[in-house]
């Protein structure tokens, strides 16, 4: 292990009980699977500010500005060791305001609204799949921040409380 890190962020936009997902096409790390509404790699100046990264990605990929969303919250942080690097993912959740439009289009692939019941059967990146399963079962009923550590079989979650 060389100590290489990959910092990424993702945001899941909600409209009531539906979540906007992206079928990402042509990505370097994630390709031909469903991901959050928008997301990507941190720029060097964002390394200590995951929120700045996710807001930039929302603007770049969907044309959504901070005033188009509400209740933006960091809800999950995951760590996974794969392909010689440690991947740190910061998962945000937010509600899309009505004035933002019905169907935001992405320049990274195909955007589509799904009910929460549908999403667990979709092909997703490893940690994202476990984040959404946990969110559907537990996270949607809390305001907690969760930390997840990936192993070969699954992602284990703990509440990340202030200490």
């Amino acid at each position: 292990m060389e100590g290489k890190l990959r910092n990424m962020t993702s945001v899941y936009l909600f409209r009531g009980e539906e979540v906007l997902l992206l079928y990402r096409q042509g990505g370097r790390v994630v390709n031909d699977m469903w991901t959050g509404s928008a997301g990507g790699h941190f720029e060097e100046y964002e390394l200590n500010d995951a929120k700045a990264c996710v807001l930039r990605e929302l603007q770049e990929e969907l044309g959504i500005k901070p005033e188009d969303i509400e209740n933006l919250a960091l809800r999950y942080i995951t760590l996974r060791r794969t392909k010689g690097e440690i991947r740190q993912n910061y998962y945000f959740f937010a509600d899309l305001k009505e004035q933002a439009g019905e169907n935001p289009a992405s320049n990274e692939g195909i955007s589509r609204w799904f009910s929460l019941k549908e999403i667990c059967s979709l092909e997703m990146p490893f940690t994202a799949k476990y984040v959404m399963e946990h969110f559907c079962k537990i996270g949607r009923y809390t305001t907690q921040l969760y930390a997840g550590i990936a192993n070969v079989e699954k992602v284990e979650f703990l509440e990340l409380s202030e200490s």
Side-chain angles (χ1 to χ4, degrees):
M1 176 70 212
E2 298 177 22
K4 184 172 173 143
L5 303 175
R6 184 180 298 267
N7 295 289
M8 297 171 283
T9 190
S10 187
V11 62
Y12 291 89
L13 295 178
F14 284 82
R15 179 179 69 185
E17 291 293 309
E18 292 183 307
V19 61
L20 184 68
L21 296 181
L22 168 69
Y23 189 75
R24 189 170 290 274
Q25 299 171 308
R28 291 179 299 164
V29 176
V30 175
N31 192 36
D32 293 335
M33 60 180 63
W34 293 99
T35 65
S37 310
H41 295 86
F42 282 57
E43 297 294 339
E44 197 171 304
Y45 61 90
E46 297 167 332
L47 287 179
N48 292 315
D49 193 348
K51 182 179 177 183
C53 180
V54 83
L55 289 173
R56 177 185 52 78
E57 292 287 354
L58 265 174
Q59 176 78 39
E60 288 178 2
E61 295 180 15
L62 292 169
I64 293 176
K65 300 177 194 112
E67 58 267 21
D68 296 328
I69 61 172
E70 56 191 0
N71 305 318
L72 178 67
L74 175 61
R75 297 295 312 282
Y76 292 87
I77 302 167
T78 61
L79 290 174
R80 180 179 183 208
R81 184 175 165 196
T82 186
K83 298 180 181 176
E85 61 190 15
I86 296 175
R87 295 185 180 178
Q88 300 174 109
N89 286 278
Y90 299 82
Y91 294 93
F92 287 81
F93 290 71
D95 296 315
L96 185 64
K97 292 181 181 176
E98 284 185 35
Q99 78 261 17
E102 282 289 309
N103 296 306
S106 175
N107 60 10
E108 299 277 331
I110 301 163
S111 293
R112 182 175 153 212
W113 291 100
F114 288 91
S115 73
L116 289 177
K117 295 174 191 168
E118 296 176 280
I119 61 174
C120 289
S121 64
L122 300 174
E123 173 111 13
M124 297 177 137
F126 186 77
T127 57
K129 184 163 192 71
Y130 284 98
V131 162
M132 291 312 293
E133 284 179 6
H134 187 274
F135 179 80
C136 287
K137 291 177 187 170
I138 298 168
R140 69 190 281 205
Y141 304 108
T142 75
T143 58
Q144 296 298 316
L145 174 60
Y146 295 94
I149 304 293
N151 60 36
V152 175
E153 299 171 2
K154 62 183 177 180
V155 179
E156 301 275 349
F157 292 98
L158 294 172
E159 283 184 22
L160 190 57
S161 302
E162 187 82 27
S163 59

